[in-house]
């Protein structure tokens, strides 16, 4: 039985609302397609954002509908002019470059804790279905061949622009269209283009050539997920033209295509767009090589909601590391399996509200009573986000010392302190606090509750002596 008590709500770019409860077409097989990378270089930090966001959604769907009842597809674009350029520049073959880059990508995304999708199709393995789809579009009057090219006729699809909310006039004014002599209309986009001898090419009814970018996703999604599926995702830089074009192709081929369209916002670095010219461009591998744990990258990413621009900062990295060291140590002291807390799950089901889910984890981690259930829920919640995959990020002092014994000593000292204060023996009460500080226990006091942390200077013998 799927665990569906609280419904999932997802913001749909197509309807511009998250008001509609997510209901899969087939709860036995929930289907998601996410646009993957073009493989010519190491993934930069921004590329990791959709991977991590949709990894969390994949985990959530599997949790709710069952591990065997979700199919997640993410492609590799391994035919692209940037790849050709790199082959020319390095004297290596396209195959060598794409194989190597794909392996890098899988290694780097594995390091940030992403589960591999069920299918990771390469565009070049789907040339035949792309050609078949293009032929079908021509036969139906939605595409035409001209000078070795095949173009999609945008005016043949009345709803063009509906996803991105742009009118065709706006798109032309935005000058994001290329004018070419073989186009009937400047808006028309390429489904197939001719290849010269030094470019990768395949035989087709239109001569030796290669696909345009957009058709691959329409063909692969259809082949692996069917004519209709539940969720289509990617970064919001893909909404137009890539996703708009995918929709036009698939709808005109007679497919229902995706129900829910989800887009993550872009990642920036220290408030600026990441770019090589600004010197703030780095890859996931750069960070890993500097000793930043993959788990820290994941945690920082999830601290911002996926539909908000996300700023990678050094301050956030340091904070994330501190938090994870503490949490890893706390959870290392419990054994057992429970479900994540209800508040945590509610946050996640509310359009993947990961910052809210993390707030709930902070609450669990600060439970004054230090009860076993809170800690187990913290552990289960972190695992749901793909955290706590044991990468050595642990505050050793906390791990060794934060035992039930330490907890009960602190609790009895604190309750003496409260009693002394209630009879106005402030000096004696403060002595207890000072003793705790000198033993390396940092106590944060609220009106009638407290939380504590063990500092690196924590000394269990000093604490015992306070009793
Ligand atoms: P690409 O290889 O450029 O097609 O990008 C692969 C994926 O990364 C796509 O889903 C993009 O939308 C996404 N992406 C690229 N740059 C960023 C960024 N700065 N922040 C977040 N996502 C990005
Ligand atoms: Zn795509």
């Amino acid at each position: 039985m799927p665990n569906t008590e609280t419904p999932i709500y997802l913001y749909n770019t197509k309807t511009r609302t998250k008001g509609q409860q997510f209901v899969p077409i087939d709860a036995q097989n929930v289907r998601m397609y996410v646009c993957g990378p073009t493989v010519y270089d190491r993934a930069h930090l921004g590329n990791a954002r959709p991977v991590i966001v949709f990894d969390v959604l994949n985990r959530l769907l599997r949790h709710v509908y069952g591990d065997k009842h979700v199919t997640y597809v993410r492609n590799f674009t391994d035919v692209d002019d940037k790849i050709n350029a790199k082959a020319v520049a390095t004297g290596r073959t396209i195959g060598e470059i794409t194989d190597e880059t794909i392996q890098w990508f899988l290694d780097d995304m594995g390091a940030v804790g992403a589960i591999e999708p069920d299918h990771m199709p390469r565009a070049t393995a789907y040339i035949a279905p792309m050609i078949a789809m293009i032929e079908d579009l021509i036969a139906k009057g939605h595409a035409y061949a001209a000078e070795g090219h095949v173009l999609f006729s945008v005016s043949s699809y009345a709803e063009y622009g509906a996803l991105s909310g742009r009118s065709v006039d706006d798109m032309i004014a935005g000058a994001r269209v290329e004018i070419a002599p073989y186009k009937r209309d400047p808006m028309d986009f390429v489904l197939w283009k001719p290849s010269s001898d030094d470019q990768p090419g395949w035989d087709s009814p239109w001569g030796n050539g290669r696909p345009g970018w957009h058709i691959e996703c329409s063909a692969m999604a259809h082949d692996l997920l069917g004519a209709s599926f539940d969720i289509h995702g990617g970064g919001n830089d893909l909404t137009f033209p890539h996703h708009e074009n995918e929709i036009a192709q698939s709808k005109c081929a007679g497919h229902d295509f995706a129900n829910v369209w989800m887009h993550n916002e872009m990642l920036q670095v220290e408030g600026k767009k990441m770019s090589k010219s600004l010197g703030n461009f780095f890859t996931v591998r750069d960070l890993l090589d500097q000793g930043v744990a993959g788990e820290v990258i994941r945690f920082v990413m999830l601290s911002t909601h996926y539909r908000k621009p996300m700023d990678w900062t050094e301050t956030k990295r340091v904070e994330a590391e501190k938090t994870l060291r503490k949490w890893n140590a706390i959870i290392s002291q419990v054994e057992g399996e429970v479900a994540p807390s209800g508040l945590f799950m509610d946050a996640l089901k509310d359009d993947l509200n990961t910052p809210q889910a993390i707030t709930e984890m902070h609450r669990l981690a600060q439970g004054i009573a230090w009860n076993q259930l809170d800690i187990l829920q913290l552990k289960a919640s972190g695992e749901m986000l793909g955290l706590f995959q044991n990468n050595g990020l642990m505050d050793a002092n906390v791990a060794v010392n934060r035992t039930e014994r330490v907890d009960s000593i602190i609790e009895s000292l604190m309750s003496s302190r409260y009693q002394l204060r209630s009879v106005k023996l402030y000096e004696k009460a403060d002595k207890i606090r000072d003793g705790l500080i000198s033993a390396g226990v940092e106590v944060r006091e609220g009106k009638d509750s407290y939380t504590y942390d063990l500092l690196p200077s924590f000394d269990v013998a000093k604490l015992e002596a306070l009793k």
Side-chain angles (χ1 to χ4, degrees):
M1 267 302 283
N3 161 22
T4 48
E5 313 91 54
T6 310
I8 298 177
Y9 289 87
L10 299 172
Y11 182 89
N12 189 348
T13 307
K14 195 166 77 177
T15 57
R16 287 170 186 75
T17 160
K18 67 165 181 183
Q20 217 169 15
Q21 184 177 332
F22 174 70
V23 180
I25 298 163
D26 174 5
Q28 295 301 309
N29 185 18
V30 183
R31 286 157 285 161
M32 171 161 80
Y33 185 96
V34 174
C35 293
T38 305
V39 284
Y40 63 99
D41 214 345
R42 283 273 183 195
H44 62 64
L45 190 60
N47 296 137
R49 192 172 191 199
V51 172
I52 292 170
V53 164
F54 291 103
D55 180 65
V56 170
L57 180 56
N58 181 35
R59 287 168 189 268
L60 173 66
L61 294 172
R62 281 173 200 272
H63 177 83
V64 172
Y65 295 97
D67 193 33
K68 293 196 170 59
H69 301 290
V70 175
T71 308
Y72 175 22
V73 179
R74 186 186 62 219
N75 69 298
F76 286 115
T77 299
D78 63 348
V79 50
D80 184 277
D81 289 346
K82 290 193 239 23
I83 307 173
N84 306 343
K86 176 133 185 190
V88 171
T90 58
R92 301 173 69 199
T93 66
I94 286 175
E96 277 168 14
I97 292 169
T98 55
D99 283 354
E100 177 183 69
T101 313
I102 286 173
Q103 195 54 52
W104 282 344
F105 185 84
L106 294 176
D107 292 346
D108 296 349
M109 297 309 134
V112 298
I115 300 173
E116 288 188 2
D118 303 284
H119 301 278
M120 298 187 282
R122 292 176 177 215
T124 51
Y126 285 79
I127 301 291
M130 290 188 227
I131 291 176
M133 198 165 177
I134 296 170
E135 285 186 295
D136 183 45
L137 288 170
I138 295 175
K140 288 175 173 155
H142 292 292
Y144 56 94
E147 298 176 32
H149 291 73
V150 181
L151 291 129
F152 184 90
S153 169
V154 166
S155 64
S156 76
Y157 179 56
E159 288 174 57
Y160 193 80
L163 177 75
S164 47
R166 297 165 194 238
S167 70
V168 170
D169 289 343
D170 284 350
M171 292 184 247
I172 293 172
R176 296 191 69 165
V177 292
E178 205 184 327
I179 297 173
Y182 47 80
K183 285 188 180 181
R184 286 184 195 159
D185 183 310
M187 282 304 294
D188 294 351
F189 60 87
V190 170
L191 298 172
W192 189 264
K193 56 191 169 188
S195 292
S196 57
D197 289 345
D198 55 354
Q199 288 170 325
W202 288 263
D203 275 342
S204 79
W206 319 285
N208 182 265
R210 60 195 193 284
W213 171 28
H214 319 294
I215 192 72
E216 69 180 73
C217 292
S218 287
M220 291 188 282
H222 181 243
D223 205 76
L224 293 163
L225 297 175
S228 61
F229 56 96
D230 300 294
I231 299 168
H232 192 311
N236 70 351
D237 57 330
L238 301 184
T239 313
F240 181 83
H242 184 53
H243 290 162
E244 201 72 74
N245 293 355
E246 283 186 30
I247 293 177
Q249 295 160 167
S250 292
K251 291 271 188 192
C252 290
H255 309 155
D256 268 343
F257 213 44
N259 278 348
V260 181
W261 285 83
M262 293 178 68
H263 293 98
N264 63 272
E265 252 288 356
M266 292 292 103
L267 172 137
Q268 303 184 318
V269 173
E270 306 284 352
K272 297 203 179 74
K273 186 178 152 85
M274 189 166 59
S275 86
K276 286 192 172 139
S277 61
L278 288 175
N280 65 352
F281 179 96
F282 45 89
T283 65
V284 173
R285 181 51 54 181
D286 291 335
L287 284 179
L288 296 169
D289 286 349
Q290 287 161 25
V292 179
E295 186 174 36
V296 168
I297 299 175
R298 171 173 280 259
F299 188 83
V300 172
M301 293 265 183
L302 296 178
S303 305
T304 300
H305 189 255
Y306 77 92
R307 283 195 290 115
K308 296 223 167 85
M310 126 113 228
D311 198 18
W312 174 272
T313 66
E314 180 58 13
T315 316
K316 285 184 186 174
R317 181 193 67 73
V318 170
E319 268 308 303
E321 200 167 302
K322 242 169 79 182
T323 303
L324 287 167
R325 274 189 190 287
K326 198 161 77 189
W327 289 358
N328 274 306
I330 294 173
I331 62 157
S332 72
Q333 294 170 45
V334 290
E335 263 174 50
E337 294 276 324
V338 302
S341 82
L343 287 173
F344 172 90
M345 288 308 300
D346 288 352
L348 219 49
K349 287 174 171 183
D350 179 14
D351 193 30
L352 295 187
N353 192 342
T354 52
Q356 183 63 38
I358 288 172
T359 301
E360 163 66 0
M361 289 174 71
H362 279 290
R363 189 189 69 79
L364 291 169
Q366 298 202 340
I368 29 161
W370 263 77
N371 73 58
Q372 180 100 349
L373 180 64
D374 281 356
I375 305 175
L376 284 172
Q377 285 187 336
L378 173 70
K379 184 169 169 230
S381 303
E383 284 167 356
M384 180 91 244
L385 292 182
L387 299 168
F388 305 154
Q389 294 188 48
N390 191 18
N391 47 25
L393 199 68
M394 195 183 294
D395 196 326
N397 202 25
V398 175
V400 177
N401 292 308
R402 191 142 192 174
T403 58
E404 275 181 31
R405 166 142 190 90
V406 166
D407 205 50
S408 80
I409 297 175
I410 294 174
E411 199 173 306
S412 85
L413 288 166
M414 287 304 289
S415 87
S416 307
R417 173 165 155 80
Y418 283 124
Q419 258 164 24
L420 290 165
R421 285 178 61 113
S422 70
V423 291
K424 299 199 161 60
L425 290 172
Y426 295 116
E427 226 168 280
K428 280 192 170 174
D430 287 347
K431 243 192 173 142
I432 293 181
R433 184 201 54 204
D434 296 344
L436 283 167
I437 292 169
S438 70
V441 181
E442 182 185 67
V443 182
R444 285 178 303 276
E445 293 180 88
K447 211 169 140 271
D448 43 25
S449 67
Y450 69 92
T451 59
Y452 75 84
D453 275 321
L454 301 182
L455 303 174
S457 60
F458 175 68
D459 184 337
V460 73
K462 281 190 186 162
L463 181 70
E464 293 272 0
L466 293 174
K467 278 197 300 166

